[in-house]
Amino acid sequence: MDKNPLFIQHQTSADYRDRPFEMVILPLGSLEGHGGHLPFGTDALTAEILAGEVAARIPGAAVLPVVPYGVSDHYRDFSFTVSLSFETETAIIKDILESIYREGIRKVFIMNGHDGNIAPIEAAARNVKVAHPDIKIFSLCAWWQELGSLLPPGFFEVWGGFGHGGEAELSIGLALFEELCQPEHAEGHVPDLPKIGEMIWLFSELTDSGATGDPTRATRKKGLKMKEALVDAIVAALTRLNETGWSYGKTS
């Protein structure tokens, strides 16, 4: 195995003594079906790889091991789903943040790859922030929702690229872990959801294929542009926070 000094699980205590880090990145994923064209670990792989790309460009940053399971019960009608309860996922994130704080780290970036983790992140991070006001927590809970403002209009061909295993997700999969993807099996369905608000659905109500959106429109070229746009935006945000000492509140 090649040693990556940016990944904390590869480091020794001697490494940490010689090159201490002051910010950690916590990648969060899931294990669940993404159709016949993407691996079960898509969300975890995406979060971990993007976290490594960001850490490589932020001095003093290091990446925690990815949490490979998430709140995925809403996908359980499609194999292979291993889900944590909301309470368990929240407790895991909270315990990790508490451990980070105990270790003296005060800057945390959460890189999430899975929709079911959004609410647990909010609950856990709010609790830790209230308990430790000096900790700074910055989170990207839904990278797929940020793309609209980062890419040119019309970049995606169908449904704004959205969808579980859809155009955007297969595209970024082809850019990050192409050897694990099988685009020849791509199929999906664009559900007829309300234009405002949010339906609370089981995924089997939206599709029979295990994917939504139109993954047949995905390309590696799109994925590479998505990766570049996402990483650049995250790096810019973290760089700005570092320049201001993570001071983001009221000014005198």
Side-chain angles (χ1 to χ4, degrees), residues 66-146:
V66 65
V67 179
Y69 307 112
V71 178
S72 299
D73 269 348
H74 46 305
Y75 294 104
R76 67 185 178 183
D77 292 328
F78 298 94
S79 293
F80 189 83
T81 299
V82 176
S83 180
L84 303 179
S85 69
F86 177 91
E87 293 78 12
T88 299
E89 181 76 16
T90 303
I92 287 172
I93 297 169
K94 183 175 181 290
D95 285 352
I96 292 171
L97 293 175
E98 288 282 0
S99 295
I100 291 165
Y101 187 86
R102 187 193 64 237
E103 289 293 327
I105 303 295
R106 297 296 182 264
K107 301 174 184 177
V108 183
F109 169 51
I110 299 174
M111 178 68 219
N112 179 46
H114 173 55
D115 62 345
N117 296 337
I118 295 173
I121 292 169
E122 175 79 8
R126 292 290 180 191
N127 282 330
V128 172
K129 180 64 178 177
V130 169
H132 307 292
D134 56 329
I135 195 170
K136 309 294 186 182
I137 304 172
F138 173 54
S139 177
L140 186 67
C141 284
W143 61 261
W144 53 94
Q145 293 181 356
E146 304 293 339

Coordinates of all heavy atoms in Angstrom, one line a residue, residues 66-146:
V66 N -13.1 7.7 6.1 CA -14.5 7.9 5.7 C -15.4 7.0 6.5 O -15.1 5.9 6.8 CB -14.7 7.6 4.2 CG1 -14.4 6.2 3.8 CG2 -16.0 8.1 3.7
V67 N -16.5 7.6 6.9 CA -17.6 6.8 7.5 C -18.4 6.2 6.4 O -19.1 6.9 5.6 CB -18.5 7.6 8.4 CG1 -19.6 6.8 9.0 CG2 -17.7 8.3 9.5
P68 N -18.3 4.8 6.1 CA -18.8 4.2 4.9 C -20.3 3.9 4.9 O -20.9 3.5 3.9 CB -18.0 3.0 4.8 CG -17.7 2.6 6.2 CD -17.5 3.9 6.9
Y69 N -21.0 4.1 6.1 CA -22.4 3.8 6.2 C -23.1 5.1 6.6 O -22.6 5.9 7.3 CB -22.6 2.7 7.3 CG -21.8 1.5 7.2 CD1 -20.8 1.2 8.1 CD2 -22.1 0.6 6.1 CE1 -20.1 0.0 7.9 CE2 -21.3 -0.5 5.9 CZ -20.3 -0.8 6.8 OH -19.5 -1.9 6.7
G70 N -24.4 5.1 6.1 CA -25.2 6.3 6.4 C -26.6 5.9 6.7 O -27.0 4.7 6.8
V71 N -27.5 6.9 6.8 CA -28.9 6.6 7.0 C -29.5 6.3 5.6 O -29.7 7.2 4.8 CB -29.6 7.8 7.7 CG1 -31.1 7.6 7.8 CG2 -29.0 8.1 9.0
S72 N -29.8 5.1 5.4 CA -30.2 4.6 4.0 C -31.4 3.8 4.0 O -31.7 3.1 2.9 CB -29.0 3.8 3.4 OG -27.8 4.6 3.3
D73 N -32.2 3.8 5.0 CA -33.4 2.9 5.0 C -34.4 3.2 3.9 O -35.1 2.4 3.4 CB -34.2 3.1 6.4 CG -33.7 2.0 7.4 OD1 -33.0 1.1 7.0 OD2 -34.1 2.2 8.6
H74 N -34.4 4.5 3.4 CA -35.3 4.9 2.3 C -34.9 4.2 1.0 O -35.6 4.3 0.0 CB -35.4 6.4 2.2 CG -34.1 7.1 2.3 ND1 -33.2 7.0 3.3 CD2 -33.6 8.1 1.4 CE1 -32.2 7.8 3.1 NE2 -32.4 8.5 2.0
Y75 N -33.7 3.6 1.0 CA -33.2 2.9 -0.2 C -33.3 1.4 -0.1 O -32.8 0.6 -0.9 CB -31.8 3.3 -0.6 CG -31.6 4.7 -1.0 CD1 -31.1 5.7 -0.1 CD2 -32.0 5.2 -2.3 CE1 -31.0 7.0 -0.5 CE2 -31.9 6.5 -2.7 CZ -31.4 7.4 -1.8 OH -31.3 8.7 -2.2
R76 N -33.8 0.9 1.0 CA -33.7 -0.5 1.4 C -34.4 -1.5 0.5 O -34.1 -2.7 0.5 CB -34.1 -0.7 2.8 CG -35.6 -0.5 3.0 CD -36.0 -0.7 4.5 NE -37.4 -0.4 4.7 CZ -38.0 -0.4 5.9 NH1 -37.2 -0.6 7.0 NH2 -39.2 -0.2 6.0
D77 N -35.3 -1.0 -0.4 CA -35.9 -1.9 -1.3 C -35.0 -2.3 -2.5 O -35.4 -3.2 -3.3 CB -37.2 -1.3 -1.9 CG -38.3 -1.1 -0.8 OD1 -38.3 -2.0 0.1 OD2 -39.1 -0.2 -0.9
F78 N -33.8 -1.7 -2.5 CA -32.8 -2.1 -3.5 C -31.6 -2.6 -2.8 O -31.1 -2.0 -1.9 CB -32.5 -0.9 -4.4 CG -33.7 -0.3 -5.2 CD1 -34.4 0.7 -4.6 CD2 -34.0 -0.8 -6.4 CE1 -35.5 1.2 -5.3 CE2 -35.1 -0.3 -7.1 CZ -35.8 0.7 -6.6
S79 N -31.1 -3.7 -3.3 CA -29.8 -4.2 -2.7 C -28.6 -3.5 -3.3 O -28.7 -3.0 -4.4 CB -29.7 -5.7 -3.1 OG -30.7 -6.5 -2.4
F80 N -27.6 -3.3 -2.6 CA -27.3 -3.9 -1.3 C -27.2 -2.7 -0.3 O -26.3 -1.9 -0.3 CB -25.9 -4.6 -1.4 CG -25.5 -5.4 -0.2 CD1 -26.0 -6.7 -0.1 CD2 -24.7 -4.9 0.8 CE1 -25.7 -7.5 1.0 CE2 -24.3 -5.7 1.8 CZ -24.8 -7.0 2.0
T81 N -28.2 -2.6 0.6 CA -28.3 -1.5 1.5 C -27.9 -1.9 2.9 O -28.5 -2.8 3.5 CB -29.7 -0.9 1.5 OG1 -30.0 -0.5 0.2 CG2 -29.8 0.2 2.5
V82 N -26.9 -1.2 3.5 CA -26.6 -1.4 4.9 C -26.8 0.0 5.6 O -26.1 1.0 5.2 CB -25.1 -1.9 5.1 CG1 -24.8 -1.9 6.6 CG2 -24.9 -3.2 4.5
S83 N -27.8 0.1 6.4 CA -28.2 1.4 6.9 C -28.0 1.5 8.4 O -28.1 0.5 9.2 CB -29.7 1.6 6.6 OG -30.1 2.9 7.1
L84 N -27.6 2.7 8.8 CA -27.6 3.1 10.3 C -28.9 3.8 10.6 O -29.5 4.5 9.7 CB -26.4 3.9 10.6 CG -25.0 3.4 10.3 CD1 -24.0 4.4 10.7 CD2 -24.8 2.0 11.0
S85 N -29.3 3.8 11.8 CA -30.5 4.6 12.2 C -30.1 6.0 12.3 O -28.9 6.4 12.4 CB -31.0 4.1 13.6 OG -30.1 4.4 14.6
F86 N -31.0 6.9 12.3 CA -30.8 8.3 12.4 C -30.0 8.6 13.7 O -29.0 9.3 13.7 CB -32.1 9.1 12.4 CG -31.9 10.6 12.7 CD1 -31.8 11.5 11.6 CD2 -31.9 11.1 14.0 CE1 -31.6 12.8 11.8 CE2 -31.7 12.5 14.2 CZ -31.6 13.3 13.1
E87 N -30.4 7.9 14.8 CA -29.8 8.1 16.1 C -28.4 7.7 16.1 O -27.5 8.3 16.7 CB -30.6 7.4 17.2 CG -32.0 8.0 17.4 CD -33.0 7.6 16.4 OE1 -32.7 6.7 15.6 OE2 -34.1 8.2 16.4
T88 N -28.1 6.5 15.5 CA -26.8 6.0 15.4 C -25.8 6.9 14.6 O -24.7 7.2 15.0 CB -26.8 4.6 14.8 OG1 -27.6 3.7 15.7 CG2 -25.4 4.0 14.8
E89 N -26.3 7.3 13.4 CA -25.5 8.1 12.6 C -25.2 9.5 13.3 O -24.0 9.9 13.2 CB -26.2 8.4 11.2 CG -25.4 9.3 10.3 CD -24.3 8.5 9.6 OE1 -24.2 7.3 9.6 OE2 -23.4 9.2 9.0
T90 N -26.2 10.0 13.9 CA -25.9 11.3 14.7 C -24.9 11.1 15.8 O -24.0 11.9 16.0 CB -27.3 11.8 15.2 OG1 -28.2 11.9 14.2 CG2 -27.1 13.1 16.0
A91 N -25.1 10.0 16.5 CA -24.1 9.7 17.6 C -22.7 9.5 17.1 O -21.7 9.9 17.7 CB -24.6 8.4 18.4
I92 N -22.6 8.8 15.9 CA -21.2 8.6 15.4 C -20.6 9.9 15.0 O -19.4 10.2 15.3 CB -21.3 7.6 14.1 CG1 -21.6 6.2 14.6 CG2 -20.0 7.7 13.3 CD1 -21.9 5.3 13.4
I93 N -21.3 10.7 14.3 CA -20.8 12.0 13.9 C -20.4 12.9 15.1 O -19.3 13.5 15.2 CB -21.7 12.8 13.0 CG1 -22.0 12.0 11.7 CG2 -21.2 14.2 12.7 CD1 -23.1 12.6 10.9
K94 N -21.3 12.9 16.1 CA -21.1 13.6 17.4 C -19.8 13.1 18.1 O -19.0 13.9 18.5 CB -22.3 13.6 18.3 CG -22.2 14.4 19.5 CD -23.5 14.4 20.3 CE -23.4 15.2 21.6 NZ -22.5 14.5 22.6
D95 N -19.7 11.8 18.2 CA -18.6 11.2 18.9 C -17.3 11.5 18.2 O -16.2 11.8 18.8 CB -18.7 9.7 19.0 CG -19.7 9.3 20.1 OD1 -20.2 10.2 20.8 OD2 -20.1 8.1 20.2
I96 N -17.3 11.5 16.8 CA -16.1 11.9 16.1 C -15.7 13.3 16.3 O -14.5 13.6 16.6 CB -16.3 11.6 14.6 CG1 -16.4 10.1 14.3 CG2 -15.1 12.2 13.8 CD1 -16.8 9.7 12.9
L97 N -16.7 14.2 16.3 CA -16.4 15.6 16.5 C -15.9 15.8 17.9 O -15.0 16.6 18.2 CB -17.7 16.4 16.3 CG -18.1 16.5 14.8 CD1 -19.5 17.2 14.7 CD2 -17.1 17.1 13.9
E98 N -16.5 15.1 18.9 CA -16.0 15.3 20.3 C -14.6 14.8 20.4 O -13.8 15.4 21.1 CB -16.9 14.5 21.2 CG -18.3 15.1 21.5 CD -18.3 16.3 22.4 OE1 -17.2 16.7 22.9 OE2 -19.3 16.9 22.7
S99 N -14.3 13.7 19.7 CA -12.9 13.2 19.8 C -11.9 14.1 19.2 O -10.8 14.3 19.7 CB -12.8 11.8 19.1 OG -13.6 10.8 19.7
I100 N -12.3 14.7 18.0 CA -11.5 15.7 17.4 C -11.2 16.9 18.3 O -10.0 17.4 18.5 CB -12.2 16.2 16.1 CG1 -12.2 15.1 15.0 CG2 -11.4 17.5 15.5 CD1 -13.1 15.4 13.9
Y101 N -12.2 17.3 19.0 CA -12.1 18.4 19.9 C -11.1 18.1 21.1 O -10.2 18.9 21.5 CB -13.4 18.8 20.5 CG -13.4 20.1 21.4 CD1 -13.5 21.3 20.8 CD2 -13.2 20.0 22.7 CE1 -13.4 22.5 21.5 CE2 -13.2 21.1 23.5 CZ -13.3 22.4 22.9 OH -13.2 23.5 23.7
R102 N -11.3 16.9 21.6 CA -10.4 16.4 22.7 C -8.9 16.4 22.2 O -8.0 16.6 23.0 CB -10.8 15.0 23.1 CG -10.1 14.5 24.4 CD -10.3 13.0 24.6 NE -9.7 12.2 23.5 CZ -10.4 11.4 22.8 NH1 -11.7 11.2 23.0 NH2 -9.8 10.7 21.8
E103 N -8.7 16.1 21.0 CA -7.4 16.1 20.4 C -6.8 17.5 20.2 O -5.6 17.6 19.7 CB -7.3 15.3 19.1 CG -7.5 13.8 19.3 CD -6.4 13.1 20.0 OE1 -5.2 13.6 19.9 OE2 -6.6 12.1 20.8
G104 N -7.6 18.5 20.4 CA -7.1 19.8 20.3 C -7.3 20.5 18.9 O -6.9 21.6 18.7
I105 N -8.0 19.8 18.0 CA -8.4 20.3 16.7 C -9.6 21.2 16.8 O -10.6 20.8 17.4 CB -8.6 19.2 15.7 CG1 -7.4 18.3 15.6 CG2 -9.0 19.8 14.3 CD1 -6.1 18.9 15.1
R106 N -9.6 22.4 16.3 CA -10.7 23.3 16.4 C -11.3 23.7 15.0 O -12.3 24.4 15.0 CB -10.2 24.6 17.1 CG -9.8 24.4 18.5 CD -10.9 23.9 19.4 NE -10.5 23.8 20.8 CZ -10.1 22.6 21.3 NH1 -10.1 21.5 20.6 NH2 -9.8 22.6 22.6
K107 N -10.7 23.1 14.0 CA -11.3 23.4 12.6 C -11.6 22.1 11.9 O -10.8 21.2 11.8 CB -10.2 24.1 11.8 CG -9.7 25.5 12.4 CD -8.6 26.0 11.5 CE -8.1 27.3 12.1 NZ -6.9 27.8 11.4
V108 N -12.9 22.0 11.5 CA -13.4 20.8 10.9 C -14.2 21.1 9.7 O -15.0 22.0 9.6 CB -14.4 20.0 11.9 CG1 -14.8 18.7 11.3 CG2 -13.7 19.8 13.2
F109 N -13.9 20.4 8.6 CA -14.7 20.4 7.4 C -15.4 19.1 7.2 O -14.7 18.1 7.1 CB -13.9 20.8 6.2 CG -14.6 20.7 4.9 CD1 -15.8 21.2 4.7 CD2 -14.0 20.0 3.8 CE1 -16.5 21.1 3.5 CE2 -14.7 19.8 2.6 CZ -15.9 20.4 2.4
I110 N -16.7 19.1 7.1 CA -17.4 17.8 6.8 C -17.8 17.8 5.3 O -18.5 18.6 4.8 CB -18.7 17.8 7.7 CG1 -18.4 17.8 9.2 CG2 -19.5 16.5 7.4 CD1 -19.6 17.9 10.1
M111 N -17.3 16.7 4.7 CA -17.5 16.5 3.3 C -18.5 15.3 3.1 O -18.1 14.2 3.3 CB -16.2 16.2 2.5 CG -16.4 15.9 1.1 SD -16.9 17.3 0.1 CE -18.0 16.5 -1.1
N112 N -19.8 15.6 2.9 CA -20.8 14.6 2.9 C -21.1 14.2 1.4 O -21.2 15.0 0.5 CB -22.1 15.1 3.6 CG -23.2 14.1 3.5 OD1 -23.0 12.9 3.8 ND2 -24.4 14.5 3.2
G113 N -21.4 12.9 1.3 CA -21.7 12.3 0.0 C -23.1 11.7 -0.2 O -23.5 11.2 -1.2
H114 N -23.9 11.8 0.9 CA -25.2 11.0 1.0 C -26.3 11.9 1.5 O -26.2 12.5 2.6 CB -25.0 9.8 1.8 CG -26.2 9.0 2.1 ND1 -27.0 8.5 1.1 CD2 -26.8 8.6 3.2 CE1 -28.0 7.9 1.6 NE2 -27.9 7.9 2.9
D115 N -27.5 11.8 0.9 CA -28.6 12.6 1.3 C -29.1 12.3 2.7 O -29.5 13.2 3.5 CB -29.7 12.5 0.3 CG -30.3 11.1 0.1 OD1 -29.7 10.1 0.6 OD2 -31.4 11.0 -0.5
G116 N -29.1 11.0 3.0 CA -29.6 10.6 4.3 C -28.8 11.1 5.5 O -29.2 11.0 6.7
N117 N -27.6 11.6 5.3 CA -26.7 12.1 6.4 C -26.9 13.5 6.7 O -26.4 14.0 7.7 CB -25.2 11.9 6.0 CG -24.9 10.4 5.8 OD1 -25.5 9.5 6.4 ND2 -23.8 10.2 5.1
I118 N -27.7 14.2 5.9 CA -27.8 15.7 6.0 C -28.4 16.1 7.4 O -27.8 16.9 8.1 CB -28.6 16.3 4.9 CG1 -27.9 16.1 3.5 CG2 -28.9 17.8 5.1 CD1 -28.7 16.5 2.3
A119 N -29.5 15.5 7.8 CA -30.1 15.8 9.0 C -29.2 15.4 10.2 O -29.1 16.1 11.2 CB -31.5 15.2 9.1
P120 N -28.6 14.2 10.2 CA -27.7 13.8 11.3 C -26.5 14.7 11.5 O -26.1 15.0 12.6 CB -27.3 12.4 11.0 CG -28.4 11.8 10.2 CD -28.9 13.0 9.4
I121 N -26.0 15.2 10.3 CA -24.9 16.2 10.4 C -25.3 17.4 11.1 O -24.6 17.9 12.0 CB -24.4 16.5 9.0 CG1 -23.7 15.3 8.3 CG2 -23.4 17.7 9.1 CD1 -23.4 15.5 6.9
E122 N -26.5 17.9 10.8 CA -27.0 19.1 11.4 C -27.2 18.9 12.9 O -26.8 19.8 13.7 CB -28.3 19.5 10.7 CG -29.1 20.7 11.3 CD -28.5 22.0 10.9 OE1 -27.6 22.1 10.0 OE2 -28.9 23.1 11.5
A123 N -27.8 17.8 13.3 CA -28.1 17.6 14.7 C -26.8 17.4 15.5 O -26.6 18.0 16.5 CB -29.0 16.3 14.8
A124 N -25.9 16.6 14.9 CA -24.6 16.4 15.7 C -23.8 17.6 15.8 O -23.3 18.0 16.8 CB -23.9 15.3 15.0
A125 N -23.6 18.3 14.6 CA -22.7 19.5 14.6 C -23.3 20.6 15.5 O -22.5 21.3 16.2 CB -22.6 20.0 13.2
R126 N -24.6 20.8 15.5 CA -25.2 21.8 16.4 C -24.9 21.5 17.8 O -24.6 22.4 18.6 CB -26.7 21.9 16.1 CG -27.1 22.5 14.7 CD -26.8 23.9 14.6 NE -27.2 24.4 13.3 CZ -26.8 25.6 12.8 NH1 -26.1 26.4 13.5 NH2 -27.2 26.0 11.6
N127 N -25.1 20.3 18.2 CA -24.9 19.9 19.6 C -23.5 20.1 20.0 O -23.2 20.6 21.1 CB -25.3 18.4 19.8 CG -26.8 18.2 19.9 OD1 -27.5 19.1 20.4 ND2 -27.3 17.0 19.5
V128 N -22.5 19.7 19.2 CA -21.1 19.9 19.5 C -20.7 21.4 19.5 O -20.0 21.8 20.4 CB -20.2 19.1 18.5 CG1 -18.7 19.4 18.7 CG2 -20.5 17.6 18.6
K129 N -21.3 22.2 18.6 CA -21.0 23.6 18.6 C -21.5 24.3 19.9 O -20.8 25.1 20.4 CB -21.6 24.2 17.4 CG -21.4 25.7 17.2 CD -19.9 26.1 17.1 CE -19.7 27.6 16.9 NZ -18.2 27.9 16.8
V130 N -22.7 23.9 20.3 CA -23.2 24.5 21.6 C -22.3 24.1 22.7 O -22.1 24.9 23.6 CB -24.7 24.1 21.7 CG1 -25.2 24.4 23.1 CG2 -25.6 24.7 20.7
A131 N -21.9 22.8 22.8 CA -21.1 22.3 23.9 C -19.7 23.0 23.9 O -19.1 23.2 24.9 CB -21.0 20.8 23.8
H132 N -19.2 23.3 22.7 CA -17.8 23.8 22.5 C -17.8 25.0 21.6 O -17.5 24.8 20.4 CB -16.9 22.7 22.0 CG -16.9 21.4 22.8 ND1 -16.4 21.3 24.1 CD2 -17.4 20.2 22.4 CE1 -16.6 20.1 24.5 NE2 -17.1 19.4 23.5
P133 N -18.2 26.1 22.0 CA -18.3 27.3 21.1 C -17.1 27.6 20.4 O -17.2 28.3 19.3 CB -18.7 28.4 22.1 CG -19.3 27.8 23.3 CD -18.6 26.5 23.4
D134 N -15.9 27.2 20.8 CA -14.7 27.6 20.1 C -14.3 26.6 18.9 O -13.4 26.9 18.2 CB -13.5 27.6 21.1 CG -13.2 26.3 21.8 OD1 -14.2 25.6 22.1 OD2 -12.1 26.0 22.1
I135 N -15.1 25.6 18.8 CA -14.9 24.7 17.6 C -15.5 25.4 16.4 O -16.6 26.0 16.4 CB -15.4 23.3 17.8 CG1 -14.8 22.3 16.7 CG2 -16.9 23.3 17.8 CD1 -15.1 20.9 17.0
K136 N -14.8 25.2 15.2 CA -15.3 25.8 14.0 C -15.7 24.6 13.1 O -14.8 23.8 12.7 CB -14.3 26.7 13.3 CG -13.7 27.8 14.2 CD -14.7 28.8 14.7 CE -14.0 29.9 15.5 NZ -15.0 30.9 16.0
I137 N -16.9 24.6 12.6 CA -17.4 23.4 11.8 C -18.0 24.0 10.5 O -19.0 24.8 10.6 CB -18.4 22.6 12.5 CG1 -17.9 22.1 13.9 CG2 -18.9 21.4 11.6 CD1 -18.9 21.4 14.7
F138 N -17.4 23.6 9.4 CA -17.9 24.0 8.1 C -18.3 22.7 7.4 O -17.5 21.7 7.3 CB -16.8 24.7 7.3 CG -17.1 25.0 5.9 CD1 -18.2 25.7 5.5 CD2 -16.2 24.7 4.9 CE1 -18.5 26.0 4.2 CE2 -16.5 24.9 3.6 CZ -17.6 25.6 3.2
S139 N -19.5 22.7 6.8 CA -20.0 21.5 6.2 C -20.5 21.7 4.8 O -21.1 22.7 4.5 CB -21.1 20.9 7.0 OG -21.7 19.8 6.5
L140 N -20.2 20.7 3.9 CA -20.8 20.7 2.6 C -21.7 19.5 2.6 O -21.3 18.3 2.4 CB -19.8 20.6 1.4 CG -20.4 20.7 0.0 CD1 -20.9 22.0 -0.3 CD2 -19.3 20.3 -1.0
C141 N -23.0 19.7 2.9 CA -23.9 18.6 3.1 C -24.4 17.9 1.8 O -24.8 16.8 1.9 CB -25.1 19.0 4.0 SG -24.7 19.3 5.7
A142 N -24.5 18.7 0.8 CA -25.1 18.2 -0.5 C -24.3 18.8 -1.7 O -24.8 19.7 -2.3 CB -26.6 18.5 -0.5
W143 N -23.2 18.1 -2.0 CA -22.4 18.7 -3.1 C -23.2 18.8 -4.4 O -23.0 19.7 -5.2 CB -21.1 17.9 -3.3 CG -21.3 16.4 -3.7 CD1 -21.3 15.3 -2.9 CD2 -21.6 15.9 -5.0 NE1 -21.5 14.2 -3.6 CE2 -21.7 14.5 -4.9 CE3 -21.8 16.5 -6.3 CZ2 -22.0 13.7 -6.0 CZ3 -22.0 15.7 -7.4 CH2 -22.1 14.3 -7.2
W144 N -24.1 17.9 -4.6 CA -24.9 17.8 -5.9 C -25.8 19.1 -6.0 O -26.2 19.5 -7.1 CB -25.7 16.5 -5.9 CG -26.5 16.3 -4.7 CD1 -27.9 16.6 -4.5 CD2 -26.1 15.6 -3.5 NE1 -28.3 16.2 -3.3 CE2 -27.2 15.6 -2.6 CE3 -24.9 15.1 -3.1 CZ2 -27.1 15.1 -1.3 CZ3 -24.8 14.6 -1.8 CH2 -25.9 14.5 -0.9
Q145 N -26.2 19.7 -4.9 CA -27.1 20.8 -4.9 C -26.3 22.1 -5.2 O -26.9 23.1 -5.6 CB -27.9 21.0 -3.6 CG -28.9 19.9 -3.4 CD -29.7 20.0 -2.1 OE1 -29.4 20.9 -1.3 NE2 -30.6 19.1 -1.9
E146 N -25.0 22.1 -5.0 CA -24.1 23.3 -5.2 C -23.8 23.5 -6.7 O -23.3 24.5 -7.1 CB -22.9 23.2 -4.4 CG -23.1 22.9 -2.9 CD -23.7 24.1 -2.2 OE1 -23.6 25.3 -2.8 OE2 -24.3 23.9 -1.1

